[in-house]
């Protein structure tokens, strides 16, 4: 496929996107009504300004990451909601490659950051990965790099994951058992001892009756 076919495919994809109903096209339509400039020209100008900002502007990393995330995330949601499975595979492939690239960039960003036009090239790379082509970056890297490595080490990784899962479950069970045992011990130490029943005092009427009986039986009390 020649460069002319590539640009034609990208142009057709861009026109299709601009004719769809979404937040971006609604905003561009509002600008077209207010300014009288066609939304195709507005979109092309926005792309040009974004490219220049990636080269010379501050915060190019954020803009580059938004480009590599927002557009694919939007179409990934549409792929999930559609009954077709082909678009699901396409965007899953992109996210796998994007994840591998992000991990690699974490270790190399310290050095690559100082290269001129780093974020411009990174943005072009992400656009190539999501390009509407059968040989885009995500498909090529997945089939040539990620998939062979995965198939080669799949059994080892599965065994490792199974072992880690089993150990994690055992550790969780032991921890839960120890926590419950500690709670039971603490409860037995803190719980108050049962109170003894208070002794009942003798009845006042009984005491009065005893005193009156004693007086009636002792005649000396009345004589003296």
């Amino acid at each position: 496929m020649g460069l002319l076919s590539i640009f034609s495919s990208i142009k057709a994809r861009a026109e299709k996107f601009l004719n769809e109903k979404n937040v971006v096209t609604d905003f561009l339509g509002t600008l077209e009504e207010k300014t009288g400039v066609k939304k195709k020209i507005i979109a092309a100008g926005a792309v040009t300004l974004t490219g220049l900002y990636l080269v010379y502007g501050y915060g190019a990393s954020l803009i580059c990451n938004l480009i590599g995330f927002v557009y694919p995330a939007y179409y990934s949601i549409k792929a999930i909601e559609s009954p077709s499975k082909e678009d699901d595979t396409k965007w899953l492939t992109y996210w796998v490659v994007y994840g591998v690239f992000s991990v690699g960039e974490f270790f190399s960003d310290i050095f690559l950051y100082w290269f001129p036009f780093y974020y411009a090239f990174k943005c072009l790379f992400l656009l190539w990965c999501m390009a509407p082509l059968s040989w885009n970056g995500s498909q090529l890297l997945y089939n040539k790099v990620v998939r062979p490595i995965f198939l080669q080490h799949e059994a080892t990784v599965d065994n490792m994951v199974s072992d880690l899962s089993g150990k994690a479950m055992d550790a969780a069970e032991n921890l839960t058992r120890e926590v419950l045992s500690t709670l039971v011990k603490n409860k037995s130490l803190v719980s108050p001892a049962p109170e003894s029943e208070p002794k009942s005092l003798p009845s006042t009427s009984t005491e009065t009756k005893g005193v009156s009986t004693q007086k009636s039986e002792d005649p000396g009390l009345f004589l003296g």
Side-chain angles (χ1 to χ4, degrees):
M1 183 181 289
L3 290 176
L4 184 60
S5 301
I6 295 173
F7 286 124
S8 299
S9 177
I10 294 174
K11 181 181 178 182
R13 182 77 176 184
E15 289 179 352
K16 180 182 178 183
F17 176 78
L18 291 174
N19 291 327
E20 290 177 353
K21 184 73 175 176
N22 52 57
V23 178
V24 177
T25 54
D26 290 343
F27 178 71
L28 292 175
T30 303
L31 288 179
E32 184 179 5
E33 292 177 0
K34 290 183 178 181
T35 60
V37 181
K38 293 183 178 181
K39 56 184 178 182
K40 292 182 181 179
I41 299 176
I42 297 175
V47 170
T48 303
L49 289 176
T50 302
L52 292 174
Y53 188 84
L54 287 171
V55 175
Y56 302 107
Y58 177 76
S61 174
L62 176 62
I63 300 297
C64 185
N65 289 330
L66 285 176
I67 292 172
F69 177 80
V70 174
Y71 177 84
Y74 173 76
Y75 273 97
S76 296
I77 295 173
K78 292 191 69 173
I80 293 171
E81 297 299 326
S82 69
S84 174
K85 296 299 178 184
E86 183 179 353
D87 48 2
D88 296 355
T89 304
K90 172 187 173 182
W91 289 112
L92 278 173
T93 305
Y94 171 82
W95 289 117
V96 169
V97 173
Y98 181 83
V100 173
F101 172 76
S102 299
V103 172
E105 187 187 29
F106 176 80
F107 296 100
S108 62
D109 189 48
I110 250 177
F111 306 103
L112 296 178
Y113 174 78
W114 300 102
F115 283 16
F117 314 130
Y118 168 65
Y119 290 110
F121 283 113
K122 177 183 174 181
C123 187
L124 289 174
F125 169 77
L126 293 176
L127 289 173
W128 175 51
C129 287
M130 67 179 81
L133 306 168
S134 58
W135 51 274
N136 61 17
S138 57
Q139 295 289 337
L140 186 63
L141 291 174
Y142 178 80
N143 291 323
K144 298 293 184 181
V145 180
V146 178
R147 188 170 182 271
I149 294 175
F150 172 76
L151 293 177
Q152 183 179 357
H153 301 284
E154 182 180 6
T156 305
V157 173
D158 287 343
N159 293 332
M160 187 182 301
V161 171
S162 299
D163 292 341
L164 289 176
S165 299
K167 291 178 180 178
M169 290 296 295
D170 293 340
E173 290 177 1
N174 293 333
L175 180 62
T176 305
R177 193 179 299 110
E178 290 178 5
V179 169
L180 292 176
S181 176
T182 304
L183 289 175
V184 170
K185 289 179 181 179
N186 291 338
K187 184 177 180 181
S188 62
L189 292 174
V190 174
S191 58
E195 297 181 357
S196 58
E197 295 183 359
K199 295 181 179 179
S200 58
L201 297 175
S203 173
T204 308
S205 59
T206 307
E207 292 178 355
T208 307
K209 183 178 179 181
V211 172
S212 61
T213 305
Q214 184 181 0
K215 286 182 179 181
S216 62
E217 290 178 353
D218 191 357
L221 294 174
F222 297 98
L223 294 177

